[in-house]
Amino acid sequence: MIDLRSDTATLPSPAMRKAMYEAELGDDVLGEDPTVNRLEEMAAERLGKEAAVFVATGTMANLVCCLSHCQRGDELILGDKSHIHVNEAGGVSSLGSIHAHTVPNLPDGSIRVEDVLASVRSPENQHHPRSRLLCLENTHNICDGAAVPLATVNALADAAHANGMKVHMDGARIFNAQVALGVPAAQLVERCDSVGFCLSKGLAAPVGSLVCGGRDFIGEARRWRKALGGGMRQAGVIAAAGIVALDEMVDRMAEDHENAVRLVQGIAPSPHLDTNPSLYKTNIIYFTLNGTSPHSTPIFLGRLLERGARVSVSNARTRRFRAVTHYGITARDIDAAIAAITAAAAP
Ligand SMILES: *Cc1c(COP(=O)(O)O)cnc(C)c1O
């Protein structure tokens, strides 16, 4: 089965399993797990921040950061297609009492500086919530996996800081952005006050994310992690895989990007689906069945499954699908997936 539903479908590498088996452990809530401590130091160094804290998921990373930056009733500004807004069960609102102010995401995953500036509230006005935080996302999942360029990130971060706000980067796939743009992740988040990234996606670790930022901020983030039930004990058993992920799995994601381009170029000639190969530079692609394909979303998925491949549904009504390449998917798998998708879309 060629599983292109998500890069979360990756299984740990043999080196990860070995590292997990051999990991030196302690109680991480007491700060005594040497493997977690090492992973946190590595992550802080890679992202160019003072400190880091290991958390269970990317969602927890974002939540811990928003809770650490914002007080109850504060406002955070974020893209209307951002993962935090669309795909995290509304946690910033339900758990953080944080007021979300959305601005439109552009197709390239960015948001307009003008829209951010127009959204900032006047701090003296008692009618308004306080504008506290700007959240960015790189690469941008819903916006075609776009890698947002450094200049764009910096312009947005500068605009937020000039208006007294902090900046959080949802960098679940920040290393895909590094690989696609040829710009080190540390530089991409240099002007961000916090960043979260996932070990469990293209980096192929089984579990875990990191939050990186200044020393005081990470102290606050640790407190919120505990409050959310995310203080894990001998977490070194999973952190060990994360160390291997950072050491061995970053640069290889160039192969995932090549495979995604190969996939989208391979399916584009089909008369039964619409996509735009020129959009895709990372490991995520989208395509839509057009009017010449008679199949409903579930029928298409069934036909694809019969042919040995899976993709995820982006919009069941418009028949828009997402395919994500990752560790474990080879160029040969991609050729088989092209044939399967093309055949499944045909009448
Ligand atoms: C996957 C993802 C997350 C959340 O990660 P989980 O580990 O699944 O909670 C956050 N942001 C983006 C952009 C993601 O793609």
Side-chain angles (χ1 to χ4, degrees):
M1 181 58 55
I2 303 164
D3 192 347
L4 301 173
R5 285 174 302 168
S6 175
D7 45 8
T8 55
T10 51
L11 296 174
S13 68
M16 287 178 185
R17 290 184 187 268
K18 183 162 182 291
M20 293 170 78
Y21 183 74
E22 292 171 355
E24 246 188 281
L25 304 175
D27 187 334
D28 177 53
V29 178
L30 305 179
E32 291 173 5
D33 189 301
T35 308
V36 173
N37 291 343
R38 195 159 137 243
L39 174 63
E40 290 177 346
E41 277 165 31
M42 273 177 86
E45 193 245 304
R46 295 292 172 91
L47 276 298
K49 300 297 180 199
E50 286 175 359
V53 58
F54 185 49
V55 295
T57 63
T59 300
M60 188 183 280
N62 286 330
L63 187 54
V64 153
C65 288
C66 293
L67 289 167
S68 300
H69 285 300
C70 299
Q71 301 295 315
R72 186 161 61 121
D74 285 349
E75 188 164 77
L76 70 80
I77 299 173
L78 79 180
D80 61 348
K81 297 190 175 68
S82 63
H83 195 279
I84 294 175
H85 193 62
V86 178
N87 282 319
E88 298 187 6
V92 292
S93 160
S94 61
L95 303 171
S97 303
I98 302 164
H99 194 54
H101 186 144
T102 56
V103 291
N105 268 121
L106 305 187
D108 65 2
S110 69
I111 54 190
R112 288 186 198 89
V113 169
E114 305 88 271
D115 287 342
V116 172
L117 295 176
S119 305
V120 178
R121 315 286 191 161
S122 70
E124 314 79 53
N125 190 329
Q126 65 168 331
H127 298 84
H128 293 174
R130 293 192 178 91
S131 307
R132 190 71 72 188
L133 181 65
L134 172 67
C135 292
L136 303 174
E137 184 174 320
N138 203 6
T139 62
H140 201 292
N141 181 2
I142 292 180
C143 295
D144 298 298
V148 182
L150 177 63
T152 307
V153 174
N154 284 349
L156 286 161
D158 290 350
H161 286 146
N163 286 281
M165 285 186 286
K166 300 287 188 188
V167 179
H168 170 66
M169 174 62 80
D170 175 358
R173 295 188 182 82
I174 195 70
F175 289 105
N176 291 91
Q178 166 176 309
V179 168
L181 297 168
V183 178
Q187 212 176 326
L188 288 170
V189 300
E190 199 180 345
R191 298 193 198 172
C192 299
D193 301 286
S194 59
V195 53
F197 73 88
C198 291
L199 297 165
S200 55
K201 292 187 170 165
L203 297 181
V207 182
S209 287
L210 284 126
V211 170
C212 307
R215 203 165 299 287
D216 291 347
F217 175 82
I218 293 300
E220 190 64 15
R222 267 184 207 288
R223 180 172 282 273
W224 277 115
R225 180 186 69 165
K226 192 77 183 79
L228 293 170
M232 299 180 284
R233 302 297 179 171
Q234 284 71 37
V237 75
I238 48 178
I243 291 172
V244 177
L246 284 179
D247 269 340
E248 298 181 5
M249 306 302 270
V250 173
D251 293 338
R252 65 148 303 285
M253 289 197 298
E255 190 185 323
D256 301 337
H257 298 181
E258 281 164 26
N259 280 338
V261 169
R262 185 185 182 93
L263 176 62
V264 74
Q265 287 178 346
I267 63 173
S270 161
H272 309 298
L273 52 86
D274 296 333
T275 185
N276 179 356
S278 70
L279 290 179
Y280 300 106
K281 311 245 177 322
T282 71
N283 67 329
I284 296 175
I285 70 141
Y286 287 86
F287 63 90
T288 305
L289 299 189
N290 66 29
T292 69
S293 178
H295 309 302
S296 67
T297 287
I299 297 284
F300 171 74
L301 291 176
R303 288 169 60 84
L304 191 55
L305 199 59
E306 281 166 21
R307 290 164 175 81
R310 303 182 83 169
V311 296
S312 64
V313 177
S314 164
N315 186 323
R317 192 182 49 78
T318 61
R319 303 186 299 171
R320 185 172 191 243
F321 300 91
R322 188 186 77 160
V324 187
T325 56
H326 50 80
Y327 175 67
I329 299 290
T330 64
R332 271 182 63 177
D333 292 332
I334 293 298
D335 292 342
I338 291 166
I341 292 169
T342 305

